[in-house]
Amino acid sequence: MINVSYAIILGVLLFAVGLYGALRSTNAVRILMCIEIMLNAVNVMFVAFARLVSVDSVGLAGAVHPVAVSGQIFAIFIMAVAAAEAAVGLAIILQIVRQRGVVHIDKINLLKG
Amino acid sequence: MSLLDAFVRFLPTLGFAMLAVVILVAGWMVGQVRRITHAAFFMVLAFTGVAGVFVMLGADFLAATQILIYVGAVAVMFLFAIMVSDLKELSDNPSGRDCPGGEYSAASGPAPKASTAGRPWTILAGLVAAAFAALVLAAIGRSALPGYVVAAATGAPTTAPIGRALFTTFLVPFEVASIVLLVALVGAIVIAGREGDRPDAAKAATDAGQDSGNRKGDAA
């Protein structure tokens, strides 16, 4: 199949793209989306490294070993946390929009001295 | 014939490369397109492509989970938030840096109505992201990874080993994750359901449907 390092490189590039988008945009919802992209990039790298671990520890492809899927389980936990983070973040943004009428983070500056 | 064989052996890599290009372009567009709704749909495209990458890496259960959770739940939640709160109009405000000033000025002179105040910040963001990618890629290049060619994916389903590991080795994290999800659910409802004090009749009328249940709960 494919070389696993390709997937790792894809994860790095996707994380960098998401990081650029998150740093560049001023729309709070867009920043949340870019954070989701970054979490997805981390998931890709977890699954790729899980593939390496499974080959390393089992040797025989297809054999089932608890270690073999641990990277994928980490990806599942990241998905759960990402879903929770998106829900709470969107609720906070919704409330800010409702109270102040802005979604641009430059204009959310109540704590500015 | 050997050429054909080489091509057939090259096909998965070619498919992965195309998938990677789609994912990266979609992820790039999430940060660049002007309308927030289009950004949400580009996010859906990137998520779907990542699910394809999971399939190519032999993680079939994770690919299905990716489609269900990200495309089915997270993206729909984003679209609902955009729809409910008029974020669409707010995102189209051309005074912010959110309009595509970066690539417009790079490609075809000054952007139509983009403010130039955000240019240094955009360049700084690009530098940070590029530095990060270069650093990690250099670290990967120095490691033993590039010479590591993994054997073919077996096609064996990973659902059973994941389930077994999730309820034995990772039982405590699993329960903690369920508590986190419950707290996030309750917290999101409480935060989003609170009544705003902005005197906006139209918005109040729009939100009345969603808020009536929570207001009753608060009054009780």
Side-chain angles (χ1 to χ4, degrees), chain A residues 27 29-30 33, chain B residues 34-40 82 87-88 91:
Chain A
N27 190 330
V29 179
R30 196 179 299 249
M33 287 180 190
Chain B
R34 180 175 168 139
R35 286 183 170 273
I36 195 77
T37 320
H38 297 177
I82 293 166
L87 291 177
K88 189 164 70 65
S91 75

Side-chain angles (χ1 to χ4, degrees), chain B residues 16-61:
Chain B
F16 182 84
M18 289 165 64
L19 211 53
V21 167
V22 167
I23 291 169
L24 288 177
V25 167
W28 174 263
M29 292 303 271
V30 168
Q32 307 297 320
V33 288
R34 180 175 168 139
R35 286 183 170 273
I36 195 77
T37 320
H38 297 177
F41 280 111
F42 273 116
M43 189 180 68
V44 168
L45 183 58
F47 288 165
T48 315
V50 169
V53 168
F54 285 166
V55 169
M56 297 198 78
L57 287 173
D60 51 348
F61 177 76

Side-chain angles (χ1 to χ4, degrees), chain B:
Chain B
M1 212 48 180
S2 68
L3 195 67
L4 188 66
D5 271 354
F7 179 69
V8 166
R9 226 175 299 124
F10 183 65
L11 266 182
T13 307
L14 186 67
F16 182 84
M18 289 165 64
L19 211 53
V21 167
V22 167
I23 291 169
L24 288 177
V25 167
W28 174 263
M29 292 303 271
V30 168
Q32 307 297 320
V33 288
R34 180 175 168 139
R35 286 183 170 273
I36 195 77
T37 320
H38 297 177
F41 280 111
F42 273 116
M43 189 180 68
V44 168
L45 183 58
F47 288 165
T48 315
V50 169
V53 168
F54 285 166
V55 169
M56 297 198 78
L57 287 173
D60 51 348
F61 177 76
L62 216 57
T65 314
Q66 169 90 8
I67 295 284
L68 275 178
I69 291 183
Y70 275 112
V71 180
V74 172
V76 170
M77 194 162 58
F78 271 98
L79 287 170
F80 257 94
I82 293 166
M83 184 186 78
V84 162
S85 66
D86 288 343
L87 291 177
K88 189 164 70 65
E89 273 76 18
L90 291 167
S91 75
D92 291 339
N93 181 12
S95 69
R97 280 206 298 277
D98 223 44
C99 40
E103 76 263 41
Y104 265 25
S105 26
S108 60
K113 281 161 86 175
S115 69
T116 54
R119 292 273 304 159
W121 182 244
T122 301
I123 293 170
L124 185 65
L127 279 180
V128 167
F132 169 81
L135 203 64
V136 180
L137 286 180
I140 289 173
R142 283 177 65 87
S143 73
L145 275 176
Y148 221 114
V149 180
V150 166
T154 55
T158 56
T159 312
I162 283 179
R164 207 172 296 124
L166 207 54
F167 283 102
T168 54
T169 317
F170 297 94
L171 182 62
V172 175
F174 178 75
E175 298 296 337
V176 171
S178 64
I179 291 175
V180 165
L181 281 176
L182 177 67
V183 170
L185 175 74
V186 175
I189 291 173
V190 167
I191 293 172
R194 201 178 297 153
E195 190 77 6
D197 51 359
R198 200 155 72 98
D200 194 338
K203 182 173 285 298
T206 319
D207 292 340
Q210 283 86 23
D211 283 347
S212 55
N214 289 299
R215 244 181 289 135
K216 257 178 248 158
D218 285 344

Side-chain angles (χ1 to χ4, degrees), chain A residues 1-10 12-17 19-20 23-27 29-30 32-34 36-37 40 43-44 47-49 51-52 55-56 61-62 64 69-70 72-77 79-80 82-84 86-88 90-92 94-95 97-101 103-104 106, chain B residues 12-13 16 20 23-24 27-28 30-34 36 40 43 47 50 53-54 57 59 61-62 65-66 70 77-78 81 85 87 90-91 97-98 101-102 121-122 125-126 129 132-133 136 140 145-146 148 150-154 161-162 165-166 170 173-174 181 184 188 191-192 194 197-198 207 211:
Chain A
M1 265 315 229
I2 58 168
N3 195 333
V4 167
S5 60
Y6 295 161
I8 292 167
I9 291 169
L10 169 68
V12 174
L13 291 180
L14 189 59
F15 192 94
V17 164
L19 182 66
Y20 174 63
L23 288 179
R24 177 185 175 275
S25 65
T26 57
N27 190 330
V29 179
R30 196 179 299 249
L32 264 185
M33 287 180 190
C34 290
E36 296 292 326
I37 294 285
N40 251 289
N43 273 353
V44 169
V47 175
F49 279 115
R51 206 82 192 108
L52 290 183
V55 167
D56 258 350
V64 180
V69 292
S70 58
Q72 300 187 19
I73 287 173
F74 267 81
I76 289 174
F77 285 139
M79 279 184 192
V88 176
L90 276 176
I92 291 172
L94 221 66
Q95 200 60 31
V97 168
R98 212 178 281 164
Q99 304 231 350
R100 309 204 50 190
V103 75
H104 288 264
D106 285 350
Chain B
T13 307
F16 182 84
I23 291 169
L24 288 177
W28 174 263
V30 168
Q32 307 297 320
V33 288
R34 180 175 168 139
I36 195 77
M43 189 180 68
F47 288 165
V50 169
V53 168
F54 285 166
L57 287 173
F61 177 76
L62 216 57
T65 314
Q66 169 90 8
Y70 275 112
M77 194 162 58
F78 271 98
S85 66
L87 291 177
L90 291 167
S91 75
R97 280 206 298 277
D98 223 44
W121 182 244
T122 301
F132 169 81
V136 180
I140 289 173
L145 275 176
Y148 221 114
V150 166
T154 55
I162 283 179
L166 207 54
F170 297 94
F174 178 75
L181 281 176
I191 293 172
R194 201 178 297 153
D197 51 359
R198 200 155 72 98
D207 292 340
D211 283 347

